[in-house]
Structure formats: C-alpha cells, structure tokens
Amino acid sequence: DPPPTIWNDERSSCDRCDLRLSCNCSYDGFTRVPVVTDRALTLDLSFNNITMVTVDDLTGHRQLRALSLHGNRLAVIHLSAFDSLWSLEELDLSDNQLTALNHKWFSKLGALQKLNLLNNPYSCLGSPPVFQGLARLRTLAFGGPALEELKIGDLSGVTQLEELTVHANNLTRYESGALADIWPLGRVTLSLHNPFLTNVPLASDVLSDVSYPETPLILEDLHLIGKETVQPLYASARRRVRYITLRNVFVSDEAIVNFLVVFNGVPLTCFSVDSVTLTGEGRWTPANWTYHKSFDEFFIRNIVVLDVFHFVSFLNLGFLLQYPRKVSLINGKAYVMPCQTSGLLKNLQYLDLSDNLLTDMTLKETLCGGHSPLTDLRVLNISGNALKSLSMVRWLVVKLSKLTHLDLSRNGYSSMPLSCSWPHTLRYLNISRAKLTAITPCLPTTLEVLDLSNNDLKNFYLVLPALRELYLSGNKFLSLPSGELFPNLQTLKIQSNTLNMFNRSDLQLYRRLQNLQAGQNKFVCSCDFVPFLQSVIKGHGDVYLTDEEESYVCDSPLYLQGEPVGQVRLSVVECHRVLFVSVSCGVALFVAILVCILLWRLHAFWYLKMTWAWLKAKRSSRRHRGRGDSEALLSFDAFVSYSERDASWVENFLVPELEEPRPRPLTLCLHKRDFLPGQWIVDNIMSAMERSRRTVFVLSENFVQSDWCRYELDFSHFWLFDGHAGRDAAILILLEPLSKDDIPKRFYKLRKLMGSTTYLEWPQEEERTGEFWRSLRNALRGEEDDD
C-alpha cells in the first residue's frame, strides 16, 4: 500500500530576540504562532496573519511575561492554549476576530495583570464570568463595535483595577451595577457614542457606576451638540467627579455652556479636551453665573475651530479664566493670545502654548510687551512655534520674577546673544531642536537643567556651577566637554554626536557625575577605549551608563565596524605591538640561534661554503678552458695535500723519492712552490686538482687539527668525492696510526673511503720503506702492485 499522505504543518521560527529576551516577531506574515526560544520573556506577534492558537503553540513558555497577538485575524483559541503560561503578566488579544470569549482561556493565568480584549466581534462577555480567578488583574480593556450587552456578574472576580477601558459605542442593554463592584478604580475610559445620543438613561447608569471623586474619567468618541447630549454627565456630577477628559469629540459652544451648567458648584479640578472640533457662534451665556472656583487646570490639545471668526474673543469667559493655575493650549493653531486675555489669568503658574503659530511679535503681544501680568508664572512652554529671536524672548521673560522653567525647543533660533539677563529664579532651560552653532555667556549661570540637544554645537566652554543635568545629544561634539565646567553635574546625555572615544581621566573631571548616556557615536575601538568602556558597562566605577549597551558600537577600525563595544575582543598583537614585536624578535633570535647550532652540528654551513666555493671555482675553470688553456691540464702526476707540520717529511722523503731522476720520475704539485701567488686559494686548489692525475692526502694528527689543512681538505673532499673525479683519484698516506673516527664526521665519504679502500701506511721499520715507495709509485701510475 502507498504511504499515507502527511500534511505539511511545520511551524516557522522567529529568532529576533534581543539580549533582554524580548522577541519582536511583528509584521512577519506568520499564519501560525512561530517557534521561539522558550527562554523568551516578551513575545510580540502583532500584525501578522495568525488565525488560531493551538494547544501546543505556546507549550514550554513558562517564563513568558508578556504576549501580544494584537492585529491578527485570530478567530480560534484552544481552551488550553495559555495553560503553560504561568508567569504571564500581560496579554493583548485586541483587534482580532474573536466572536466569543471563554473563561477557560484565562483559568491558569493567575499572574495576569494586564488584559486587552478590545475590538473583537463579541456581543457580550459570556457566562460563566471570563475574568473569574484573575485576582491580580489591574488593567482591563474590553469591548468593541459589536458589544451590545453588559450584565451584573460579567466582571465577577475583578475586585480592583488601576485602569478600566470599555468600548461600548453600540451598547443597547446595561444592567445597573454591572461595573459598580470594582473598587478601588484608578482611571476609567469609556466610549459611549450612541448611548449619549439615543439612550440617555443607559449612559447615565454606566457613568454613575464608574464615577468617583478621585477617579479620572475619560469619555471618547462623543458628539456633544445640544443640551440633551450633555445630560448623562449629571450622573458624574452627582458623584462629585473631579477629573474629566473629553477625547475625540465634536462639541459646540452651546454644549460647553451646558457642560458648565451641569458641573455648577461641583469641585471639578481638571478639565481636559484632546482632539476636539469646536463649532458654534462663540456665545458663552448663561455660563457666566455658574460657579467653578475649584477649576485648577485646563488642558486643550489638537483643537480645530470651525468658523474661527466667531471665536475671536474669550473675554466673556473671564469669570472662568481667573481660577486655573495651569493652562495648556497645544497644537491649536493659535498665533496670538491677546494681552487682555492674558490679564484674565490671574492665578496662572503654568502656561503651555507649544506647537502653535506664535511669532516673535505675537509673543510680545501675548506677554504684554515685557510687562506681563502673569507675575506668578513659574513654567512657560512655547516650544514648536515660529520664534527666531532669543534676545526677544529674554527681554519678554526677564521680569517674570518667579519663572523657573522655560521651554524654547523646536524653534528657529540660529544664534545666541553674547550676553543676556534672565530671571534669577530660572533653573530649567530647553533650547533643543533649534539651529544653534555656538554657546555664549548668554546662558544663565543659575541653571540646574539645560537641554541643548539636536543643534549644531561642536564645543562647550561655559562654566555653569549649579548645573545638575546636561543634554547634548544630536550635536557634533568630538569629545566630552570638560567636567571642570560643571562641578555639580550628575547626568550627562551626549548621544548621537561624533565622539571618537573618552577615557577614565575625562570622567574623573566630573566630580559628581552618576548617569552617562553616550551611545550612537563614532567610536574608535582602540586598545585603551575598549577595556575602559567594557569596565564602565559592567558597572565598575562611579559612573553608570544608563542607555542601551547595544548603542555603543565601533565605527573604526574597518574590520570592527558595527560591532558592539561590549563584545569586542582585541588581540595582544593589536594592543601591545611594541611588546609583541620585542618578544617576537627575541623568540626569532632564539630560534635562529637554535637553528644555527643545529645546522652547525649537521655541518650544513660547511656544505654551503663548499658548494659556493666549488661553483665559483668551476666558473673560473670554464673561463680558462674557453680561452684555450687546455695545454695546462694534467701537468702533474699528483697534487699533495699535507700539514705544514708534516712538511719536513714531504720535502725530505716524499719529493726526493718520487721526483729524483729515474727512468720514469713523477711530477708533484706542492702548494709552497706551485700555487700562483696573488690568486685565490680556492682557485689554486681547483687548478691544481684539475691539472693533477691523482691527489695524495698525507694524513696525520697534525693534518686533522690544522685549520689550513682542514680547509684544504674540505674543498678537496668536496671536489673529489661528489662524482667529478673517480674513486682511484685519491691516495691516502697515513704517517701515523689514525682511525676513521678521527676524521671529522662531515667528511662522510672520506670516512667511508677509509673503511672500504686500502690506504698506505708509513712504516715504522726502515726495512719496509722500499715496499712503501714502490706501492706509492704504482698507485700514482695506476699500475697493480706485484706484491
């Protein structure tokens, strides 16, 4: 039978995990939960195409602390899919296709603290209660466009929350008290678009259950136009709620007036509006008879005013503006706040006009030309406008005698005056994200926090004795500014500059520095910098690097480019080059000496010397032959090699005996009489050997010990026994008993010849001399001895 078909259900893997075991597998197109290391602490699977979670997908992840499946197409979750996640603290299942919730998913998640179930197509929370057993749950978000019903008991098991978010824009059925059992309740966010418009009792019941005096209430996605749409807020007013935020709302001036009427006499402390569209005709009556002395903060951000020409003046709200101490108007496209309006803010201590359209001239109007009535102002934020003159700002704020914080960031300042006067109370100054190229003494010496990040600064030479925090990231510093300028500095951030390196002595100049962030620079990973920075990363020292270790990356040398400094390992060759060269030379010299000794013991030098000498002499001999000197060849019967100490024997016995006139006298070549004076000794020896039929070695102790004879014998040995002359060309005469062991070992052919060839010994008895001479003559003539 053919084998059964096996469906390919292999899971993909994801290895994008950092050193903190946080795995980011989002936007990877996974259709199933991928295989990830079971040591992962955080797993982000958001924005994939996962449709189900099986029982085995997350098995083994007992250490997992956070899991995000946000933004998938998740429709099916096995009842035991999360059972192994005993340590899970955060679970995000939002923006999926879950049509129903099951309590068994969460039954083993006893450590869960944050749960997000927003924007899934379930119409109710289901039964039995899905959150039963989640005693540690502190943040809960549920609901979506399909949620229609909330009943008493749906949140059973949830006893206290720090944050509750409910999206119920289409809620049609609500049992009063369904959300009332959660206490304490930290912050509540509600989306009740349709109930506010069509079902005021339902919206009022919901608000009544979650409104507490100290619980911030955030209402989203509202359309507040007339009086009726504001009525549900009476439930919150009756509960004396103190913090209300309207987010993503469309509101009219009439609705605002009715809002003030609803909260008349209520100790409302903070009123915030975020992402609001304002419409109407700018009519604020009859709000002027309401009482709101408790108002402390107005926060308005991202406001769009329709028919803006109807809202040219807020003087009619003067009764309201006199109370708050904090006012924020952020990204409202405001280009001026008239001086008359500024005068209404009698108690103002905090003013935020960031991300608007203020210019130097309109700011002058806002602050009443340097005579601002905002005498209690402590914090002024005018960042993100169209300001260009630092001198103008300085002149406008110098009389704000209580000003401690000034934010001028994200403006068009390109230069700084040489000198300036500031309020003596100023402690915090932010001029980041401008176009400054140089620092001048214009900066006040009273500063404790200075932010000059993201400018074009290259150096800093100003003494600021009180400074505790300095932010210089995103500039062009090549080195750390001298710590002697900042005797009290505790925090320095100088990331994303062009720093090459810094060392321990640089940091020691900062006497009180504790936190340093210097990553994302152009570090030269030298032998001094790398070990120093690695020790700082490990916490050895008084200064701590509080940014990511991975942000410290080598820029050079080229072969280390992109390597984290903490993982670089430099070799001894790179870091101790002089020592390495010295040791290497010493070792090389030692090895050379050992090699020389070995070569000397093996007589390699002798062979080299003889080879070179022979080659030189050979070339000389060929030149003579080339000139036709062949008649000079074989001029002697024998070349005699002997020691000078044996010269008497040669001259008194050998020469007379062999060269005396006889029928056949022999001609001998002796170095004393036949070598050409002024010619190189080797050439003489070579010439003598070439012109002689035989070579006679007169061997004795004197011969072996004589330096001259040994040299002559060296060369003769090399010539005679390397194949250029026959075996019978050498005749050995022993003047005294001499064994082959007395011959130097490098004359191995001569020693072999003595062991295999008969040699002549000079007889000690006189009667045997005749036989000796007869044998020698026969040997020289190449004849056999008859005896």
Side-chain angles (χ1 to χ4, degrees):
D1 294 332
T5 301
I6 300 178
W7 295 99
N8 184 9
D9 200 25
E10 183 178 354
R11 293 162 59 193
S12 302
S13 61
C14 175
D15 56 0
R16 292 185 357 215
C17 302
D18 60 20
L19 297 177
R20 295 173 298 176
L21 298 176
S22 178
C23 303
N24 184 1
C25 304
S26 60
Y27 295 98
D28 269 347
F30 293 115
T31 57
R32 284 197 57 184
V33 175
V35 177
V36 183
T37 173
D38 56 9
R39 297 186 297 113
L41 300 179
T42 302
L43 178 56
D44 185 355
L45 295 172
S46 58
F47 301 104
N48 283 288
N49 297 314
I50 299 172
T51 58
M52 68 167 53
V53 181
T54 69
V55 66
D56 298 322
D57 285 347
L58 297 168
T59 301
H61 287 279
R62 294 186 176 90
Q63 302 181 44
L64 196 64
R65 298 285 191 274
L67 172 63
S68 175
L69 287 161
H70 168 79
N72 281 274
R73 296 186 294 167
L74 191 61
V76 178
I77 299 177
H78 192 276
L79 298 181
S80 302
F82 303 139
D83 283 2
S84 63
L85 306 182
W86 302 336
S87 302
L88 195 67
E89 298 175 354
E90 301 180 21
L91 177 60
D92 189 348
L93 298 174
S94 60
D95 292 289
N96 281 287
Q97 302 297 321
L98 300 173
T99 57
L101 303 179
N102 196 302
H103 72 285
K104 292 186 178 180
W105 295 346
F106 316 116
S107 60
K108 300 294 180 65
L109 303 182
L112 196 64
Q113 299 179 22
K114 295 183 179 181
L115 177 60
N116 189 347
L117 298 170
L118 289 173
N119 299 326
N120 281 280
Y122 51 82
S123 59
C124 62
L125 295 182
S127 181
V130 294
F131 310 122
Q132 191 74 43
L134 300 181
R136 297 186 181 181
L137 196 64
R138 295 295 178 267
T139 301
L140 174 62
F142 67 88
L147 184 65
E148 297 177 351
E149 180 182 26
L150 281 176
K151 299 183 299 181
I152 294 178
D154 280 350
L155 273 74
S156 177
V158 180
T159 57
Q160 58 178 309
L161 289 175
E162 296 174 359
E163 184 174 351
L164 172 65
T165 301
V166 181
H167 285 189
N169 287 326
N170 297 313
L171 192 67
T172 57
R173 294 182 300 277
Y174 180 80
E175 291 186 5
S176 182
L179 300 175
D181 293 335
I182 305 173
W183 180 258
L185 186 57
R187 183 174 65 180
V188 178
T189 302
L190 298 176
S191 294
L192 297 170
H193 178 78
N194 286 337
F196 259 76
L197 293 176
T198 61
N199 197 336
V200 172
L202 185 150
S204 299
D205 287 344
V206 175
L207 290 177
S208 180
D209 284 350
V210 297
S211 295
Y212 300 97
E214 299 299 326
T215 299
L217 178 62
I218 303 172
L219 302 176
E220 297 181 330
D221 306 325
L222 298 182
H223 202 87
L224 306 178
I225 297 299
K227 182 177 180 179
E228 293 298 324
T229 57
V230 183
Q231 295 305 305
L233 293 175
Y234 274 107
S236 296
R238 287 192 293 268
R239 299 296 297 268
R240 314 291 285 178
V241 68
R242 299 180 61 182
Y243 309 97
I244 287 186
T245 297
L246 303 180
R247 183 185 297 161
N248 191 24
V249 297
F250 187 93
V251 62
S252 66
D253 53 356
E254 181 184 359
I256 292 177
V257 169
N258 283 283
F259 177 90
L260 294 174
V261 171
V262 168
F263 283 93
N264 180 36
V266 176
L268 188 64
T269 301
C270 178
F271 178 54
S272 301
V273 181
D274 193 355
S275 300
V276 57
T277 300
L278 177 62
T279 187
E281 298 181 356
R283 297 178 181 178
W284 305 113
T285 56
N288 55 1
W289 55 263
T290 59
Y291 179 76
H292 298 285
K293 189 175 182 179
S294 62
F295 266 22
D296 187 66
E297 179 180 359
F298 283 132
F299 180 91
I300 303 174
R301 181 170 60 190
N302 300 329
I303 182 172
V304 175
V305 181
L306 303 181
D307 301 325
V308 66
F309 56 89
H310 288 151
F311 297 89
V312 294
S313 174
F314 291 89
L315 295 180
N316 290 335
L317 293 177
F319 72 97
L320 192 63
L321 297 179
Q322 63 181 318
Y323 301 123
R325 292 182 300 170
K326 298 180 66 176
V327 172
S328 299
L329 177 58
I330 303 172
N331 192 25
K333 296 182 174 60
Y335 60 89
V336 66
M337 184 170 70
C339 177
Q340 194 173 7
T341 303
S342 299
L344 299 176
L345 301 169
K346 299 178 180 180
N347 292 318
L348 196 65
Q349 298 180 10
Y350 180 103
L351 177 60
D352 187 348
L353 296 175
S354 59
D355 297 306
N356 283 288
L357 304 175
L358 296 177
T359 65
D360 294 326
M361 296 308 297
T362 59
L363 180 63
K364 182 179 178 181
E365 170 64 21
T366 300
L367 297 180
C368 301
H371 302 281
S372 175
L374 307 176
T375 55
D376 286 336
L377 193 65
R378 288 166 170 77
V379 178
L380 176 60
N381 186 350
I382 48 177
S383 62
N385 282 278
L387 306 175
K388 295 183 179 181
S389 175
L390 203 56
S391 297
M392 174 67 76
V393 173
R394 185 271 312 169
W395 176 67
L396 292 175
V397 304
V398 68
K399 292 184 179 180
L400 299 177
S401 58
K402 295 183 180 180
L403 189 68
T404 60
H405 289 63
L406 179 60
D407 192 341
L408 305 175
S409 61
R410 295 182 291 118
N411 279 289
Y413 305 119
S414 59
S415 63
M416 186 179 294
L418 293 178
S419 62
C420 301
S421 296
W422 299 91
H424 69 279
T425 55
L426 193 62
R427 298 292 181 268
Y428 174 96
L429 180 60
N430 187 348
I431 321 180
S432 63
R433 298 185 181 276
K435 302 175 182 179
L436 296 176
T437 58
I439 297 299
T440 72
C442 176
L443 294 176
T445 57
T446 59
L447 289 178
E448 296 180 2
V449 179
L450 176 60
D451 191 346
L452 294 171
S453 56
N454 296 292
N455 280 282
D456 292 320
L457 304 175
K458 296 180 180 179
N459 47 56
F460 199 117
Y461 299 117
L462 186 63
V463 178
L464 297 175
L467 200 65
R468 293 183 292 105
E469 298 179 18
L470 178 59
Y471 301 89
L472 296 173
S473 298
N475 283 282
K476 299 178 181 179
F477 284 88
L478 295 173
S479 60
L480 295 180
S482 176
E484 296 176 338
L485 303 173
F486 321 108
N488 290 299
L489 194 68
Q490 299 175 11
T491 298
L492 173 61
K493 295 185 179 181
I494 192 167
Q495 301 162 301
S496 302
N497 278 267
T498 53
L499 290 182
N500 290 328
M501 64 179 67
F502 54 91
N503 53 42
R504 194 174 304 279
S505 61
D506 293 331
L507 297 184
Q508 287 174 346
L509 295 176
Y510 295 87
R511 291 181 291 178
R512 297 189 178 182
L513 188 63
Q514 298 176 0
N515 303 315
L516 174 65
Q517 294 186 10
Q520 300 174 3
N521 276 287
K522 306 290 185 179
F523 292 119
V524 176
C525 287
S526 65
C527 296
D528 293 328
F529 176 71
V530 169
F532 159 70
L533 188 63
Q534 290 176 349
S535 68
V536 176
I537 290 174
K538 294 177 182 177
H540 299 160
D542 298 329
V543 178
Y544 295 94
L545 299 179
T546 54
D547 49 351
E548 299 294 333
E549 178 182 341
E550 294 84 354
S551 65
Y552 292 84
V553 177
C554 297
D555 185 65
S556 65
L558 188 60
Y559 72 95
L560 289 176
Q561 195 171 63
E563 288 291 324
V565 179
Q567 301 177 14
V568 170
R569 296 294 179 267
L570 297 176
S571 65
V572 176
V573 179
E574 296 168 304
C575 293
H576 303 283
R577 187 160 299 174
V578 175
L579 178 61
F580 176 77
V581 171
S582 301
V583 172
S584 299
C585 290
V587 172
L589 181 60
F590 178 73
V591 171
I593 292 173
L594 288 181
V595 171
C596 289
I597 293 174
L598 180 63
L599 293 176
W600 178 77
R601 296 283 294 178
L602 297 175
H603 312 296
F605 294 118
W606 179 81
Y607 285 110
L608 292 174
K609 181 177 67 175
M610 289 299 101
T611 301
W612 178 78
W614 179 82
L615 290 174
K616 185 174 181 181
K618 193 70 175 176
R619 286 195 300 269
S620 177
S621 176
R622 287 175 179 171
R623 286 197 299 268
H624 288 301
R625 292 175 183 174
R627 292 194 298 264
D629 295 340
S630 58
E631 69 278 359
L633 298 177
L634 299 179
S635 302
F636 303 99
D637 291 302
F639 165 63
V640 182
S641 177
Y642 59 94
S643 170
E644 191 63 32
R645 293 182 181 181
D646 298 327
S648 59
W649 183 86
V650 172
E651 296 171 357
N652 297 329
F653 291 94
L654 183 64
V655 173
E657 183 67 30
L658 296 180
E659 289 189 341
E660 66 180 11
R662 292 188 179 185
R664 294 180 60 186
L666 298 173
T667 304
L668 302 179
C669 180
L670 305 178
H671 66 267
K672 277 188 176 183
R673 71 180 186 190
D674 297 311
F675 278 13
L676 296 177
Q679 193 171 5
W680 189 38
I681 182 65
V682 176
D683 287 340
N684 272 316
I685 294 174
M686 186 65 129
S687 176
M689 293 177 65
E690 287 186 339
R691 293 187 297 152
S692 302
R693 293 185 177 88
R694 304 282 188 273
T695 298
V696 176
F697 291 98
V698 181
L699 303 180
S700 66
E701 288 289 342
N702 296 327
F703 186 96
V704 174
Q705 295 176 3
S706 172
D707 291 337
W708 172 258
C709 290
R710 289 182 64 185
Y711 179 77
E712 189 177 66
L713 182 60
D714 286 347
F715 186 79
S716 302
H717 169 273
F718 186 83
W719 167 254
L720 292 172
F721 302 112
D722 65 353
H724 292 87
R727 175 173 174 173
D728 296 334
I731 299 173
L732 309 182
I733 298 176
L734 272 63
L735 290 184
E736 55 190 11
L738 188 68
S739 66
K740 68 177 182 179
D741 294 333
D742 295 325
I743 305 298
K745 292 182 179 180
R746 63 180 176 275
F747 306 129
Y748 66 94
K749 289 190 178 181
L750 181 59
R751 288 161 59 90
K752 183 178 180 182
L753 190 63
M754 288 185 66
S756 60
T757 304
T758 302
Y759 47 83
L760 300 174
E761 293 189 37
W762 175 248
Q764 301 300 320
E765 300 85 3
E766 187 177 350
E767 59 271 13
R768 296 186 57 192
T769 57
E771 181 182 351
F772 171 82
W773 296 119
R774 186 169 55 254
S775 298
L776 180 57
R777 287 192 186 93
N778 291 336
L780 290 173
R781 293 184 177 131
E783 300 173 358
E784 291 292 336
D785 191 351
D786 296 337
D787 296 330

